Coordinates of all heavy atoms in Angstrom, one line a residue:
M119 N -8.8 -48.5 -36.8 CA -8.3 -49.1 -38.0 C -7.0 -49.9 -37.7 O -6.1 -49.4 -37.0 CB -8.0 -48.0 -39.0 CG -7.9 -48.6 -40.4 SD -7.6 -47.5 -41.8 CE -8.1 -45.9 -41.2
I120 N -6.9 -51.1 -38.2 CA -5.8 -52.0 -37.9 C -4.8 -52.1 -39.2 O -5.3 -52.4 -40.2 CB -6.2 -53.4 -37.5 CG1 -7.2 -53.3 -36.4 CG2 -5.0 -54.3 -37.2 CD1 -6.6 -53.1 -35.0
Y121 N -3.6 -51.7 -39.0 CA -2.6 -52.0 -40.0 C -1.7 -53.0 -39.5 O -0.9 -52.8 -38.5 CB -1.8 -50.7 -40.2 CG -2.5 -49.5 -40.8 CD1 -3.1 -48.6 -40.0 CD2 -2.6 -49.4 -42.2 CE1 -3.8 -47.5 -40.5 CE2 -3.3 -48.3 -42.8 CZ -3.9 -47.4 -41.9 OH -4.5 -46.3 -42.4
P122 N -1.7 -54.2 -40.1 CA -0.8 -55.3 -39.5 C 0.7 -55.1 -39.8 O 1.5 -55.6 -39.1 CB -1.3 -56.5 -40.2 CG -2.0 -56.1 -41.4 CD -2.5 -54.7 -41.2
F123 N 1.0 -54.3 -40.8 CA 2.4 -54.2 -41.1 C 2.9 -52.7 -41.1 O 2.1 -51.8 -41.4 CB 2.7 -54.7 -42.5 CG 2.4 -56.2 -42.6 CD1 1.4 -56.6 -43.4 CD2 3.2 -57.1 -42.0 CE1 1.1 -58.0 -43.5 CE2 2.9 -58.5 -42.0 CZ 1.9 -58.9 -42.8
P124 N 4.2 -52.5 -40.8 CA 4.7 -51.1 -40.9 C 4.7 -50.6 -42.3 O 4.9 -51.4 -43.2 CB 6.1 -51.3 -40.3 CG 6.2 -52.6 -39.7 CD 5.2 -53.5 -40.4
T125 N 4.6 -49.3 -42.4 CA 4.7 -48.6 -43.7 C 6.2 -48.4 -44.0 O 7.0 -48.6 -43.1 CB 4.0 -47.3 -43.7 OG1 4.6 -46.5 -42.6 CG2 2.5 -47.4 -43.5
P126 N 6.6 -48.1 -45.2 CA 8.0 -47.8 -45.5 C 8.5 -46.7 -44.6 O 9.7 -46.7 -44.2 CB 8.0 -47.4 -47.0 CG 6.8 -48.1 -47.6 CD 5.8 -48.1 -46.4
E127 N 7.6 -45.7 -44.3 CA 8.0 -44.6 -43.5 C 8.3 -45.1 -42.0 O 9.2 -44.7 -41.3 CB 7.0 -43.5 -43.5 CG 7.3 -42.3 -42.5 CD 8.5 -41.5 -42.9 OE1 9.0 -41.7 -44.1 OE2 8.9 -40.7 -42.1
G128 N 7.4 -46.1 -41.6 CA 7.6 -46.7 -40.3 C 9.0 -47.4 -40.2 O 9.7 -47.4 -39.2
L129 N 9.3 -48.1 -41.3 CA 10.6 -48.8 -41.4 C 11.8 -47.8 -41.2 O 12.8 -48.1 -40.6 CB 10.7 -49.5 -42.7 CG 11.6 -50.7 -42.8 CD1 11.1 -51.8 -41.8 CD2 11.6 -51.3 -44.2
R130 N 11.6 -46.6 -41.8 CA 12.6 -45.6 -41.7 C 12.7 -45.1 -40.3 O 13.8 -44.7 -39.8 CB 12.3 -44.5 -42.7 CG 13.4 -43.6 -43.1 CD 13.0 -42.5 -44.1 NE 12.1 -41.6 -43.5 CZ 12.5 -40.6 -42.6 NH1 13.7 -40.5 -42.3 NH2 11.6 -39.7 -42.2
R131 N 11.6 -45.0 -39.6 CA 11.6 -44.4 -38.3 C 12.0 -45.4 -37.2 O 12.5 -45.0 -36.2 CB 10.2 -43.9 -37.9 CG 9.8 -42.7 -38.8 CD 8.4 -42.3 -38.6 NE 8.1 -41.1 -39.4 CZ 7.6 -39.9 -39.0 NH1 7.4 -39.7 -37.7 NH2 7.4 -39.0 -39.9
Y132 N 11.8 -46.6 -37.4 CA 12.2 -47.7 -36.4 C 13.1 -48.7 -37.1 O 12.7 -49.9 -37.2 CB 11.0 -48.3 -35.8 CG 10.1 -47.3 -35.0 CD1 9.1 -46.6 -35.7 CD2 10.3 -47.1 -33.7 CE1 8.3 -45.7 -35.0 CE2 9.5 -46.2 -33.0 CZ 8.5 -45.5 -33.6 OH 7.7 -44.6 -33.0
P133 N 14.2 -48.3 -37.6 CA 15.0 -49.3 -38.4 C 15.5 -50.5 -37.6 O 15.7 -51.5 -38.2 CB 16.2 -48.4 -39.0 CG 16.3 -47.3 -38.0 CD 14.9 -47.0 -37.5
E134 N 15.8 -50.3 -36.4 CA 16.4 -51.3 -35.6 C 15.4 -52.4 -35.2 O 15.7 -53.5 -34.9 CB 17.0 -50.8 -34.3 CG 18.2 -50.0 -34.5 CD 18.8 -49.4 -33.3 OE1 18.2 -49.6 -32.2 OE2 19.8 -48.7 -33.4
T135 N 14.1 -52.1 -35.3 CA 13.1 -53.1 -35.0 C 12.1 -53.3 -36.2 O 10.9 -53.6 -36.0 CB 12.3 -52.6 -33.7 OG1 12.0 -51.2 -33.9 CG2 13.1 -52.8 -32.5
Q136 N 12.7 -53.2 -37.4 CA 11.9 -53.5 -38.6 C 10.6 -52.8 -38.7 O 9.6 -53.3 -39.3 CB 11.6 -55.0 -38.7 CG 12.9 -55.9 -38.9 CD 13.5 -56.3 -37.5 OE1 12.8 -56.9 -36.7 NE2 14.7 -56.0 -37.3
G137 N 10.6 -51.5 -38.2 CA 9.4 -50.7 -38.4 C 8.4 -50.9 -37.3 O 7.3 -50.2 -37.3
Y138 N 8.7 -51.7 -36.3 CA 7.8 -51.8 -35.1 C 8.4 -51.1 -33.9 O 9.6 -50.8 -33.8 CB 7.7 -53.3 -34.7 CG 7.0 -54.1 -35.8 CD1 7.7 -54.7 -36.8 CD2 5.6 -54.3 -35.8 CE1 7.1 -55.5 -37.8 CE2 5.0 -55.1 -36.7 CZ 5.7 -55.7 -37.7 OH 5.1 -56.4 -38.7
F139 N 7.5 -50.8 -33.0 CA 8.0 -50.2 -31.7 C 8.8 -51.2 -31.0 O 8.4 -52.4 -31.0 CB 6.7 -49.7 -30.9 CG 7.1 -48.9 -29.7 CD1 7.5 -47.6 -29.9 CD2 7.1 -49.5 -28.4 CE1 7.9 -46.8 -28.8 CE2 7.5 -48.7 -27.3 CZ 7.9 -47.4 -27.5
P140 N 9.9 -50.8 -30.3 CA 10.7 -51.8 -29.6 C 9.9 -52.4 -28.4 O 9.2 -51.7 -27.7 CB 11.9 -51.0 -29.1 CG 11.8 -49.7 -29.7 CD 10.4 -49.5 -30.3
D141 N 10.1 -53.7 -28.3 CA 9.5 -54.4 -27.2 C 10.3 -54.2 -25.9 O 11.4 -54.7 -25.8 CB 9.4 -55.9 -27.5 CG 8.7 -56.7 -26.4 OD1 8.5 -56.2 -25.3 OD2 8.4 -57.9 -26.7
R142 N 9.8 -53.4 -25.0 CA 10.5 -53.0 -23.8 C 10.7 -54.1 -22.8 O 11.5 -54.0 -21.9 CB 9.8 -51.8 -23.1 CG 9.7 -50.6 -24.0 CD 11.0 -50.0 -24.3 NE 10.8 -48.6 -24.9 CZ 11.6 -48.1 -25.8 NH1 12.7 -48.8 -26.2 NH2 11.4 -46.9 -26.2
S143 N 10.0 -55.2 -23.0 CA 10.1 -56.3 -22.0 C 11.3 -57.2 -22.3 O 11.6 -58.0 -21.6 CB 8.8 -57.1 -22.0 OG 8.6 -57.7 -23.2
Q144 N 12.0 -56.9 -23.4 CA 13.1 -57.7 -23.8 C 14.4 -56.9 -23.9 O 14.3 -55.7 -24.2 CB 12.9 -58.4 -25.1 CG 11.7 -59.3 -25.2 CD 11.7 -60.1 -26.5 OE1 12.6 -60.9 -26.8 NE2 10.6 -60.0 -27.2
E145 N 15.5 -57.5 -23.6 CA 16.8 -56.9 -23.8 C 17.1 -56.7 -25.2 O 16.8 -57.5 -26.1 CB 17.9 -57.8 -23.2 CG 17.9 -57.8 -21.7 CD 18.8 -56.7 -21.1 OE1 19.7 -56.2 -21.7 OE2 18.4 -56.2 -20.0
G146 N 17.7 -55.5 -25.5 CA 18.1 -55.3 -26.9 C 17.0 -54.8 -27.8 O 15.9 -54.5 -27.3
A147 N 17.2 -54.9 -29.1 CA 16.2 -54.4 -30.0 C 15.3 -55.5 -30.6 O 15.7 -56.2 -31.5 CB 16.9 -53.6 -31.2
H148 N 14.1 -55.6 -30.0 CA 13.2 -56.6 -30.5 C 11.9 -55.9 -30.9 O 11.4 -55.0 -30.1 CB 12.9 -57.7 -29.4 CG 14.0 -58.5 -29.1 ND1 14.3 -59.7 -29.8 CD2 14.9 -58.5 -28.1 CE1 15.4 -60.2 -29.3 NE2 15.8 -59.5 -28.2
P149 N 11.3 -56.2 -32.0 CA 10.1 -55.5 -32.4 C 8.9 -56.0 -31.6 O 8.8 -57.2 -31.3 CB 10.0 -55.9 -33.9 CG 10.7 -57.2 -34.1 CD 11.8 -57.2 -33.0
D150 N 8.0 -55.1 -31.3 CA 6.8 -55.5 -30.7 C 5.8 -55.6 -31.8 O 5.3 -54.5 -32.4 CB 6.3 -54.4 -29.6 CG 5.0 -54.9 -28.9 OD1 4.2 -55.6 -29.5 OD2 4.9 -54.4 -27.8
L151 N 5.4 -56.8 -32.2 CA 4.6 -57.0 -33.4 C 3.2 -56.4 -33.3 O 2.5 -56.4 -34.3 CB 4.6 -58.5 -33.8 CG 6.0 -59.0 -34.1 CD1 5.9 -60.5 -34.4 CD2 6.7 -58.3 -35.2
D152 N 2.8 -56.1 -32.1 CA 1.5 -55.5 -32.0 C 1.5 -54.0 -32.3 O 0.4 -53.4 -32.4 CB 1.0 -55.6 -30.5 CG 0.5 -57.1 -30.2 OD1 0.2 -57.8 -31.2 OD2 0.5 -57.4 -29.0
L153 N 2.7 -53.4 -32.4 CA 2.8 -52.0 -32.6 C 3.6 -51.6 -33.8 O 4.7 -51.1 -33.7 CB 3.4 -51.4 -31.3 CG 2.7 -51.6 -30.0 CD1 3.5 -51.1 -28.8 CD2 1.4 -50.9 -30.0
P154 N 3.0 -51.8 -35.0 CA 3.7 -51.4 -36.2 C 3.6 -49.8 -36.3 O 2.6 -49.2 -36.0 CB 2.9 -52.1 -37.3 CG 1.6 -52.2 -36.8 CD 1.7 -52.4 -35.3
C155 N 4.7 -49.2 -36.9 CA 4.6 -47.8 -37.2 C 4.0 -47.7 -38.6 O 4.5 -48.2 -39.6 CB 6.0 -47.2 -37.2 SG 6.0 -45.4 -37.6
T156 N 2.8 -47.0 -38.6 CA 2.1 -46.8 -39.9 C 2.1 -45.4 -40.3 O 1.2 -44.9 -41.0 CB 0.6 -47.3 -39.7 OG1 0.1 -46.6 -38.5 CG2 0.6 -48.8 -39.4
C157 N 3.2 -44.7 -39.9 CA 3.3 -43.3 -40.3 C 3.5 -43.1 -41.9 O 4.0 -44.1 -42.5 CB 4.5 -42.6 -39.6 SG 4.2 -42.2 -37.9
T158 N 3.2 -41.9 -42.3 CA 3.5 -41.6 -43.7 C 4.5 -40.5 -43.7 O 4.8 -39.9 -42.7 CB 2.3 -41.2 -44.5 OG1 1.9 -39.9 -43.9 CG2 1.1 -42.2 -44.3
V159 N 5.0 -40.1 -44.9 CA 5.9 -39.0 -45.0 C 5.3 -37.7 -44.6 O 6.0 -36.7 -44.3 CB 6.5 -38.8 -46.4 CG1 7.5 -40.0 -46.7 CG2 5.4 -38.8 -47.5
E160 N 4.0 -37.6 -44.5 CA 3.3 -36.4 -44.1 C 3.4 -36.2 -42.6 O 3.1 -35.1 -42.1 CB 1.8 -36.6 -44.4 CG 1.5 -37.1 -45.8 CD 1.3 -35.9 -46.8 OE1 0.2 -35.3 -46.7 OE2 2.2 -35.7 -47.6
C161 N 3.7 -37.2 -41.9 CA 3.8 -37.1 -40.4 C 4.9 -36.2 -39.9 O 5.9 -36.0 -40.6 CB 4.0 -38.5 -39.8 SG 2.5 -39.5 -39.8
E162 N 4.6 -35.6 -38.7 CA 5.6 -34.8 -38.1 C 6.9 -35.7 -37.8 O 6.8 -36.9 -37.7 CB 5.1 -34.4 -36.7 CG 3.8 -33.7 -36.7 CD 3.9 -32.2 -36.6 OE1 5.1 -31.7 -36.5 OE2 2.9 -31.5 -36.8
A163 N 8.0 -35.0 -37.7 CA 9.2 -35.7 -37.4 C 9.1 -36.5 -36.1 O 9.5 -37.6 -35.9 CB 10.4 -34.8 -37.3
R164 N 8.5 -35.9 -35.1 CA 8.1 -36.5 -33.9 C 6.6 -36.7 -33.8 O 5.9 -35.9 -33.1 CB 8.7 -35.8 -32.7 CG 10.2 -35.8 -32.6 CD 10.7 -34.9 -31.6 NE 10.4 -35.2 -30.2 CZ 11.2 -36.0 -29.5 NH1 12.3 -36.5 -30.0 NH2 10.9 -36.3 -28.2
C165 N 6.1 -37.7 -34.5 CA 4.7 -38.0 -34.6 C 4.2 -38.5 -33.2 O 4.9 -39.3 -32.6 CB 4.5 -39.0 -35.7 SG 2.7 -39.5 -35.8
A166 N 3.1 -37.9 -32.8 CA 2.6 -38.3 -31.5 C 1.4 -39.3 -31.7 O 0.7 -39.6 -30.7 CB 2.1 -37.1 -30.7
G167 N 1.3 -39.9 -32.9 CA 0.3 -40.9 -33.1 C -1.0 -40.3 -33.6 O -2.0 -41.0 -33.7
D168 N -1.0 -39.1 -34.0 CA -2.2 -38.4 -34.5 C -2.7 -39.1 -35.7 O -3.9 -39.1 -36.0 CB -2.0 -36.9 -34.8 CG -1.3 -36.2 -33.7 OD1 -1.6 -36.5 -32.5 OD2 -0.4 -35.3 -34.0
C169 N -1.8 -39.7 -36.5 CA -2.2 -40.4 -37.7 C -2.8 -41.8 -37.5 O -3.3 -42.4 -38.4 CB -1.0 -40.6 -38.6 SG 0.3 -41.6 -37.8
G170 N -2.9 -42.2 -36.2 CA -3.4 -43.5 -35.9 C -2.3 -44.5 -35.7 O -2.6 -45.7 -35.6
C171 N -1.1 -44.1 -35.8 CA 0.1 -45.0 -35.7 C 0.2 -45.5 -34.2 O 0.4 -44.7 -33.3 CB 1.3 -44.3 -36.1 SG 2.8 -45.2 -35.8
E172 N 0.2 -46.8 -34.1 CA 0.3 -47.4 -32.7 C 1.7 -47.2 -32.1 O 1.8 -47.0 -30.9 CB 0.0 -48.9 -32.8 CG -1.4 -49.3 -33.3 CD -2.4 -49.2 -32.2 OE1 -2.1 -49.2 -31.1 OE2 -3.6 -49.2 -32.6
A173 N 2.7 -47.4 -32.9 CA 4.1 -47.3 -32.4 C 4.4 -45.9 -31.9 O 4.9 -45.7 -30.8 CB 5.1 -47.6 -33.6
C174 N 3.9 -44.9 -32.7 CA 4.2 -43.5 -32.3 C 3.3 -43.0 -31.1 O 3.7 -42.2 -30.3 CB 4.2 -42.5 -33.5 SG 5.5 -42.8 -34.6
T175 N 2.1 -43.6 -31.1 CA 1.3 -43.3 -29.9 C 2.0 -43.8 -28.6 O 2.1 -43.1 -27.6 CB -0.1 -44.0 -30.0 OG1 -0.7 -43.6 -31.2 CG2 -1.0 -43.8 -28.8
M176 N 2.5 -45.0 -28.7 CA 3.2 -45.6 -27.6 C 4.5 -44.8 -27.3 O 4.8 -44.5 -26.1 CB 3.6 -47.0 -27.9 CG 4.2 -47.8 -26.8 SD 3.1 -47.9 -25.3 CE 2.0 -49.2 -25.8
Q177 N 5.2 -44.4 -28.3 CA 6.4 -43.6 -28.1 C 6.1 -42.3 -27.4 O 6.8 -41.8 -26.5 CB 7.1 -43.3 -29.4 CG 8.3 -42.4 -29.3 CD 9.5 -43.0 -30.0 OE1 9.9 -44.1 -29.7 NE2 10.0 -42.3 -31.0
F178 N 5.0 -41.7 -27.8 CA 4.6 -40.4 -27.2 C 4.1 -40.6 -25.7 O 4.5 -39.8 -24.8 CB 3.4 -39.8 -28.0 CG 2.8 -38.6 -27.4 CD1 3.5 -37.5 -27.1 CD2 1.4 -38.6 -27.1 CE1 2.9 -36.4 -26.5 CE2 0.8 -37.5 -26.6 CZ 1.6 -36.4 -26.3
H179 N 3.4 -41.7 -25.5 CA 3.0 -42.0 -24.1 C 4.2 -42.3 -23.2 O 4.2 -41.8 -22.1 CB 2.0 -43.2 -24.1 CG 0.6 -42.8 -24.4 ND1 -0.5 -43.2 -23.7 CD2 0.1 -41.9 -25.3 CE1 -1.6 -42.7 -24.1 NE2 -1.2 -41.9 -25.2
E180 N 5.2 -42.9 -23.8 CA 6.3 -43.2 -23.0 C 7.1 -41.9 -22.6 O 7.5 -41.7 -21.5 CB 7.3 -44.1 -23.8 CG 8.1 -45.1 -22.9 CD 8.7 -46.1 -23.8 OE1 9.7 -45.8 -24.5 OE2 8.3 -47.3 -23.7
F181 N 7.2 -41.1 -23.6 CA 7.8 -39.8 -23.4 C 7.0 -39.0 -22.3 O 7.6 -38.5 -21.3 CB 7.8 -38.9 -24.7 CG 8.0 -37.5 -24.4 CD1 9.2 -36.9 -24.3 CD2 6.9 -36.6 -24.4 CE1 9.4 -35.6 -24.0 CE2 7.0 -35.3 -24.2 CZ 8.3 -34.7 -24.0
A182 N 5.7 -38.9 -22.4 CA 4.8 -38.2 -21.5 C 5.0 -38.8 -20.1 O 5.0 -38.1 -19.1 CB 3.4 -38.2 -22.0
D183 N 5.1 -40.1 -20.0 CA 5.2 -40.8 -18.8 C 6.5 -40.4 -18.1 O 6.5 -39.9 -16.9 CB 5.2 -42.3 -19.0 CG 5.0 -43.1 -17.7 OD1 4.6 -42.5 -16.7 OD2 5.3 -44.3 -17.8
H184 N 7.6 -40.5 -18.8 CA 8.9 -40.2 -18.3 C 9.0 -38.7 -17.9 O 9.7 -38.3 -17.0 CB 10.0 -40.5 -19.3 CG 10.2 -42.0 -19.4 ND1 10.9 -42.6 -20.4 CD2 9.7 -43.0 -18.6 CE1 10.9 -43.9 -20.3 NE2 10.2 -44.2 -19.2
A185 N 8.4 -37.8 -18.7 CA 8.5 -36.4 -18.5 C 7.5 -35.9 -17.4 O 7.5 -34.7 -17.1 CB 8.3 -35.7 -19.8
G186 N 6.7 -36.8 -16.9 CA 5.8 -36.5 -15.9 C 4.5 -35.8 -16.3 O 4.0 -35.0 -15.5
Y187 N 4.0 -36.1 -17.5 CA 2.8 -35.4 -17.9 C 1.5 -36.2 -17.6 O 0.4 -35.8 -17.9 CB 2.8 -35.1 -19.4 CG 3.8 -34.0 -19.8 CD1 5.0 -34.2 -20.4 CD2 3.4 -32.7 -19.4 CE1 5.8 -33.2 -20.7 CE2 4.3 -31.6 -19.7 CZ 5.5 -31.9 -20.3 OH 6.3 -30.9 -20.6
F188 N 1.7 -37.3 -16.9 CA 0.5 -38.0 -16.4 C 0.2 -37.5 -15.1 O 1.0 -37.7 -14.1 CB 0.8 -39.6 -16.4 CG 0.7 -40.2 -17.7 CD1 1.8 -40.5 -18.5 CD2 -0.5 -40.6 -18.2 CE1 1.7 -41.1 -19.7 CE2 -0.6 -41.3 -19.4 CZ 0.5 -41.5 -20.2
H189 N -0.9 -36.9 -15.0 CA -1.4 -36.4 -13.7 C -1.7 -37.5 -12.7 O -1.4 -37.5 -11.5 CB -2.6 -35.5 -13.8 CG -2.3 -34.2 -14.6 ND1 -1.3 -33.4 -14.3 CD2 -3.0 -33.7 -15.6 CE1 -1.3 -32.4 -15.2 NE2 -2.3 -32.5 -16.0
H190 N -2.4 -38.5 -13.3 CA -2.8 -39.6 -12.5 C -2.4 -40.9 -13.2 O -3.1 -41.4 -14.0 CB -4.4 -39.6 -12.4 CG -4.9 -38.3 -11.9 ND1 -4.7 -37.9 -10.6 CD2 -5.6 -37.3 -12.5 CE1 -5.3 -36.7 -10.4 NE2 -5.8 -36.3 -11.6
P191 N -1.2 -41.4 -12.8 CA -0.7 -42.6 -13.4 C -1.7 -43.7 -13.3 O -1.7 -44.6 -14.2 CB 0.6 -42.9 -12.6 CG 0.9 -41.6 -12.0 CD -0.3 -40.8 -11.8
D192 N -2.5 -43.8 -12.3 CA -3.4 -44.9 -12.1 C -4.5 -44.9 -13.2 O -4.8 -46.0 -13.7 CB -4.1 -44.8 -10.7 CG -3.1 -45.0 -9.6 OD1 -2.0 -45.6 -9.9 OD2 -3.4 -44.6 -8.5
D193 N -5.1 -43.8 -13.5 CA -6.2 -43.8 -14.5 C -5.8 -43.3 -15.8 O -6.6 -43.2 -16.8 CB -7.4 -43.1 -14.0 CG -7.2 -41.6 -13.8 OD1 -6.1 -41.1 -14.3 OD2 -8.0 -40.9 -13.2
G194 N -4.5 -43.1 -16.0 CA -3.9 -42.7 -17.3 C -4.3 -41.3 -17.8 O -4.1 -41.1 -19.0
Q195 N -4.8 -40.5 -17.0 CA -5.1 -39.1 -17.4 C -3.8 -38.4 -17.7 O -2.8 -38.4 -16.9 CB -5.9 -38.4 -16.3 CG -7.2 -38.9 -16.1 CD -8.3 -38.1 -16.9 OE1 -8.0 -37.1 -17.4 NE2 -9.4 -38.7 -17.0
M196 N -3.8 -37.7 -18.8 CA -2.5 -37.0 -19.2 C -2.8 -35.6 -19.5 O -3.9 -35.3 -20.0 CB -2.0 -37.7 -20.4 CG -0.5 -37.4 -20.7 SD -0.2 -37.5 -22.5 CE -0.6 -39.1 -22.9
D197 N -1.9 -34.7 -19.3 CA -2.0 -33.4 -19.8 C -1.5 -33.4 -21.2 O -0.4 -33.1 -21.6 CB -1.1 -32.4 -18.9 CG -1.3 -31.0 -19.3 OD1 -1.9 -30.7 -20.3 OD2 -0.9 -30.1 -18.5
V198 N -2.4 -33.7 -22.1 CA -2.1 -34.0 -23.5 C -1.5 -32.8 -24.2 O -0.5 -32.9 -24.9 CB -3.3 -34.5 -24.3 CG1 -2.9 -34.8 -25.7 CG2 -3.9 -35.8 -23.6
E199 N -2.1 -31.7 -24.0 CA -1.6 -30.5 -24.7 C -0.2 -30.1 -24.3 O 0.6 -29.9 -25.2 CB -2.5 -29.3 -24.3 CG -2.9 -28.4 -25.5 CD -4.1 -27.5 -25.2 OE1 -5.2 -28.0 -25.4 OE2 -3.9 -26.4 -24.8
A200 N 0.1 -30.1 -23.1 CA 1.5 -29.8 -22.6 C 2.5 -30.8 -23.1 O 3.6 -30.5 -23.5 CB 1.5 -29.6 -21.1
A201 N 2.0 -32.1 -23.0 CA 2.9 -33.2 -23.4 C 3.2 -33.1 -24.9 O 4.4 -33.2 -25.3 CB 2.3 -34.5 -23.0
N202 N 2.2 -32.8 -25.6 CA 2.3 -32.7 -27.1 C 3.3 -31.6 -27.5 O 4.2 -31.8 -28.3 CB 1.0 -32.3 -27.7 CG 0.6 -33.4 -28.7 OD1 1.3 -33.7 -29.6 ND2 -0.6 -33.8 -28.7
E203 N 3.2 -30.5 -26.8 CA 4.0 -29.3 -27.1 C 5.5 -29.6 -26.8 O 6.4 -29.4 -27.6 CB 3.6 -28.1 -26.3 CG 4.1 -26.8 -26.8 CD 3.5 -25.6 -26.0 OE1 2.2 -25.7 -25.9 OE2 4.2 -24.7 -25.6
A204 N 5.7 -30.2 -25.6 CA 7.1 -30.6 -25.2 C 7.6 -31.7 -26.2 O 8.8 -31.6 -26.6 CB 7.1 -31.1 -23.8
Y205 N 6.8 -32.6 -26.6 CA 7.2 -33.7 -27.4 C 7.7 -33.1 -28.8 O 8.7 -33.5 -29.3 CB 6.1 -34.7 -27.6 CG 6.5 -35.9 -28.3 CD1 7.4 -36.8 -27.8 CD2 5.9 -36.3 -29.5 CE1 7.8 -38.0 -28.4 CE2 6.2 -37.5 -30.2 CZ 7.2 -38.3 -29.6 OH 7.5 -39.5 -30.2
R206 N 6.9 -32.2 -29.3 CA 7.2 -31.7 -30.7 C 8.5 -30.9 -30.6 O 9.3 -30.8 -31.6 CB 6.1 -30.7 -31.1 CG 4.8 -31.5 -31.3 CD 4.3 -31.5 -32.7 NE 2.9 -31.9 -32.8 CZ 2.6 -33.1 -33.1 NH1 3.5 -34.1 -33.3 NH2 1.3 -33.5 -33.1
K207 N 8.8 -30.3 -29.5 CA 10.0 -29.5 -29.3 C 11.2 -30.4 -29.1 O 12.4 -30.0 -29.1 CB 9.9 -28.6 -28.1 CG 9.1 -27.3 -28.4 CD 9.1 -26.4 -27.2 CE 8.1 -25.4 -27.3 NZ 7.6 -24.9 -25.9
G208 N 11.0 -31.7 -28.9 CA 12.0 -32.6 -28.7 C 12.3 -32.9 -27.2 O 13.4 -33.4 -26.9
G209 N 11.3 -32.7 -26.4 CA 11.4 -33.1 -25.0 C 12.2 -32.1 -24.2 O 12.7 -32.4 -23.1
Ligands
LIG354 ZN1 4.7 -43.9 -36.5
LIG355 ZN1 2.5 -40.7 -37.8

């Protein structure tokens, strides 16, 4: 499902980038327009993208990457369960 625009909740979660995930390829706070946060108020404080939100999926993957939960960085295999647990606890 494609949501072209961030939800009000997305705007609240990513205020510096107008509700989008920050574009890491640029200096400073630039929105990545391909990754709107489509979270709702029902979402976890640290949503891992379970709701289908592209921004939070990316945020979770970035966390898992930095925290070393990717067993095989080449093929993208991740220890999802462990990463999820750590993510919800706040890393
Ligand atoms: Zn989100
Ligand atoms: Zn969400």
Side-chain angles (χ1 to χ4, degrees):
M119 201 178 335
I120 306 284
Y121 294 91
F123 298 110
T125 55
E127 178 66 13
L129 205 60
R130 201 179 66 76
R131 290 173 184 237
Y132 299 85
E134 289 178 1
T135 42
Q136 293 90 55
Y138 294 88
F139 191 76
D141 185 346
R142 300 296 192 210
S143 64
Q144 298 190 59
E145 286 274 330
H148 292 277
D150 186 332
L151 299 179
D152 286 337
L153 300 171
C155 179
T156 52
C157 282
T158 69
V159 288
E160 313 267 288
C161 283
E162 307 260 354
R164 288 169 73 87
C165 178
D168 308 324
C169 62
C171 169
E172 300 276 346
C174 291
T175 301
M176 187 58 81
Q177 176 127 304
F178 173 56
H179 275 226
E180 211 169 69
F181 162 83
D183 192 16
H184 289 167
Y187 286 108
F188 279 98
H189 295 310
H190 307 287
D192 294 338
D193 64 14
Q195 290 266 346
M196 196 210 302
D197 189 345
V198 180
E199 221 163 275
N202 237 309
E203 198 173 314
Y205 188 63
R206 300 243 191 264
K207 281 183 196 152

